[in-house]
Amino acid sequence: MLSFGSGVVGGSVVVFSAVFTAMEPSFYMLNFMAKGVPTMAIRPLADAMRFMRMGSSFAGLPIRTAHSSETTISYEDGDCDDVSKDNYALVDHGERDLGFCILGSLNVRTTTFTPRNLDLFFTSVSAATVSSMSAVEMEIFTNTQLVILTVLMFIGGEVFTSMVGHYIGTFFVNIFPKDGDKSYHNTQCCVLDQIELKNIDIVTFKESKDEDFCIRTFSSTEINKIYMEDLKYKSFKSLGVVVLFYLLLVQFLGVISVLMYLNFISSANDILKHKGIEPLTFSIFTIVSTFTNCGFVPTNENMLIFKKNSGLLLILIPQALLGNTLYPPVLRFTIWAVGKFTMKSETKYLLNNSKDIGYPHLLSYLQSSLLFVTVLAFIAVQFVLFSSMEWNSGSLRGLNVYQKLVGIFFQTVNTRSTGESVVDLSTMNAAVLVLFIVMMYLPPYTSFFPMVEECRDKRSKKDKTIMDNLIFSQQTYLVIFILLVCVFERKQMINDPLNFNVLNIAVEVISAYGNVGFSTGYNCDLRLKQEGDCQNKWYGFSGKWSDEGKLVLIAVMIFGRLKKFNMNGGKAWKVF
């Protein structure tokens, strides 16, 4: 099996371009726009539906399989160039997910199953949008393909994308100061740090473009303004360094912890050996997936096969929280801790002026505190209900008390976004399932305190366009998506009502919208008509959907990834 390092060399560069194709709309609308850079009009549903139009061009892409030494290329009616064993010429039909092309061009592990083009595209979009909705079993992917998915998940994660947006925003702050005063960028004050501001009337500057010295007279107000603008710019750069440090350190510690656990706990390592998965690959893939809140795991059973490995679950729980719901409070704590040792003026400015910075995850002390309490409260409510309804059920059968407590804790933490699971959702009580649906729907930073920007949408009603009034609310879009799936799967709902029921469809759609990845799966034993060959597979319920239904779910995943840009829709609709 290929090593993780060789897979990186072979695929990471191309995959870096892949994610910009898969996540193109979100990078145009990053939150650095709040710092004074003009924003673009946002139509999330239109951006999502753009990907659905690609469905007609899937057929022409080759798939390389491992049936023999010869390369097997499957075509339907596409127009790909001739493809040799070592060289692939993929025809670019315009907008296309490069990650999907790479996955399709590499060998798969199995010799008895060839994934369909649409399923590979579904998987790559799911990784890029950190949704972990699956239409194929994970163990069909080789080491190299797992590397590709890892890079997609890493770049598609919220911490990374927000960091990229912040660095771009820092560039614009440097080039286009908010107040239009560029003097502090091309001049260097010689005495600001040595003399008290209020006592300075004359300051000597050195121009950056030449070696001449110039003398200007500044008032204390002007000097203070220059000092504050310079401090603000330094604080912008310092925040970028802190976020990068946070992003790398948390995942590095997670990978080391998982590797140490696998080295000392033979039961977990034996599972990987039996499945032919390298410990390093599993550690990096799982930590990146958990921290980015994607939820993919290299095993078919997700974390269900590790439900007795409580130590591994406890390692993953902080990763899920630090990369999502608890990111703002912990980021603020990290900035405070850094300020105790270095960059004291910059960190103090960041902590006291979080709103002016414009970084969406840097919340005020009050907001961070309330968010922290809200996250713990949601986990506690789920923990109590889950324990009371499922303690003696089949989903937790075979576990001791300690393993049950850790497993329930792990499951309730994952409902908010990550989507890793140690239980079979199809066997769970309906009350618990409904609570999970509510948790999946809620945005990551839901709080008891309304964290609404004061300056948001200050336009008067007469300034709003017709399109502003026609934008639906998030709930309306979800209803539309569920209706579309029910229309496309209407035959299955009639012939197989126990699997294809509205509740299971709603779980799948809302899970995709929340970029969670929970699924009830498909059970062949629940079919009313036991006709034909049917094997239970370890992939999501959507894996049994029609092509049209899968395309709708692809649109839902992309729309869910961009939902923060359309959270104020539906304001023109009023119910009496």
Side-chain angles (χ1 to χ4, degrees), residues 2-185:
L2 295 174
S3 67
F4 194 91
S6 64
V8 172
V9 174
S12 61
V13 174
V14 184
V15 175
F16 194 87
S17 300
V19 76
F20 278 89
T21 303
M23 291 298 298
E24 178 184 1
S26 64
F27 281 99
Y28 284 121
M29 297 171 286
L30 286 165
N31 288 322
F32 73 85
M33 299 297 184
K35 303 169 188 166
V37 183
T39 56
M40 300 176 62
I42 299 171
R43 294 292 180 267
L45 184 57
D47 287 332
M49 295 303 291
R50 176 170 62 84
F51 286 83
M52 294 183 64
R53 294 198 298 269
M54 290 189 284
S56 60
S57 63
F58 290 156
L61 290 175
I63 294 180
R64 185 177 180 182
T65 62
H67 293 299
S68 64
S69 59
E70 298 295 329
T71 300
T72 302
I73 308 296
S74 63
Y75 296 91
E76 292 182 12
D77 51 8
D79 56 352
C80 282
D81 296 339
D82 293 337
V83 182
S84 64
K85 180 177 180 180
D86 298 317
N87 299 285
Y88 291 85
L90 300 181
V91 178
D92 184 10
H93 295 288
E95 296 173 346
R96 176 173 289 174
D97 184 7
L98 296 181
F100 153 61
C101 296
I102 300 171
L103 286 177
S105 64
L106 295 173
N107 289 325
V108 293
R109 294 177 63 184
T110 178
T111 59
T112 59
F113 172 74
T114 300
R116 299 171 60 240
N117 291 334
L118 179 58
D119 293 334
L120 289 176
F121 179 73
F122 186 98
T123 303
S124 62
V125 172
S126 182
T129 58
V130 291
S131 300
S132 72
M133 307 300 297
S134 60
V136 294
E137 292 182 323
M138 292 299 298
E139 290 177 22
I140 70 167
F141 295 119
T142 62
N143 233 49
T144 304
Q145 290 171 317
L146 291 178
V147 170
I148 295 170
L149 292 175
T150 302
V151 177
L152 284 172
M153 291 185 297
F154 181 84
I155 303 178
E158 182 63 28
V159 177
F160 180 85
T161 55
S162 65
M163 183 188 69
V164 172
H166 180 77
Y167 274 111
I168 297 175
T170 303
F171 169 79
F172 277 95
V173 169
N174 188 20
I175 301 302
F176 306 111
K178 184 175 181 181
D179 295 326
D181 184 4
K182 301 182 184 180
S183 61
Y184 63 93
H185 292 299

Side-chain angles (χ1 to χ4, degrees), residues 208-440:
S208 61
K209 294 183 179 180
D210 53 55
E211 298 298 327
D212 298 328
F213 287 86
C214 63
I215 298 179
R216 284 187 55 192
T217 300
F218 288 84
S219 66
S220 59
T221 302
E222 290 174 323
I223 294 173
N224 185 61
K225 177 181 177 182
I226 293 175
Y227 175 80
M228 292 305 297
E229 290 288 0
D230 185 66
L231 178 59
K232 180 178 180 180
Y233 177 62
K234 290 180 179 177
S235 301
F236 266 92
K237 295 195 297 184
S238 301
L239 178 60
V241 174
V242 172
V243 173
L244 179 61
F245 171 80
Y246 181 95
L247 173 70
L248 298 179
L249 179 63
V250 172
Q251 295 184 77
F252 174 77
L253 293 177
V255 171
I256 296 300
S257 300
V258 173
L259 280 175
M260 292 178 61
Y261 182 87
L262 295 175
N263 185 53
F264 288 106
I265 306 300
S266 59
S267 59
N269 198 23
D270 291 342
I271 294 175
L272 299 182
K273 288 182 179 179
H274 177 73
K275 292 179 174 294
I277 302 174
E278 295 183 1
L280 179 61
T281 301
F282 175 84
S283 301
I284 297 177
F285 186 97
T286 304
I287 287 297
V288 170
S289 177
T290 307
F291 180 82
T292 60
N293 279 251
C294 181
F296 275 145
V297 178
T299 60
N300 288 340
E301 303 89 348
N302 201 271
M303 294 303 296
L304 180 63
I305 198 171
F306 297 106
K307 64 181 180 180
K308 293 185 178 182
N309 297 106
S310 301
L312 180 60
L313 301 183
L314 290 175
I315 293 174
L316 297 181
I317 287 173
Q319 294 286 326
L321 294 173
L322 296 178
N324 187 38
T325 51
L326 290 186
Y327 176 44
V330 179
L331 174 63
R332 188 174 180 87
F333 174 80
T334 303
I335 295 173
W336 173 83
V338 170
K340 292 295 182 180
F341 302 98
T342 182
M343 298 187 300
K344 293 185 177 181
S345 58
E346 289 88 346
T347 55
K348 184 177 180 181
Y349 182 89
L350 289 172
L351 295 175
N352 295 333
N353 301 274
S354 57
K355 184 176 295 185
D356 294 336
I357 294 298
Y359 185 64
H361 307 295
L362 182 59
L363 306 180
S364 66
Y365 174 78
L366 176 61
Q367 292 173 332
S368 299
S369 301
L370 291 172
L371 176 61
F372 183 82
V373 173
T374 303
V375 171
L376 296 184
F378 282 155
I379 293 175
V381 170
Q382 295 178 82
F383 189 92
V384 171
L385 182 62
F386 194 110
S387 301
S388 61
M389 303 296 294
E390 298 289 332
W391 187 264
N392 295 317
S393 67
S395 60
L396 299 176
R397 184 178 294 115
L399 303 181
N400 58 39
V401 174
Y402 172 71
Q403 292 171 341
K404 286 183 178 181
L405 291 175
V406 174
I408 294 173
F409 184 35
F410 179 84
Q411 191 71 29
T412 54
V413 167
N414 277 267
T415 57
R416 295 297 304 281
S417 192
T418 308
E420 295 170 357
S421 183
V422 293
V423 298
D424 183 359
L425 294 185
S426 64
T427 64
M428 294 178 59
N429 185 277
V432 178
L433 204 56
V434 170
L435 179 61
F436 282 3
I437 292 176
V438 175
M439 293 295 109
M440 290 189 294

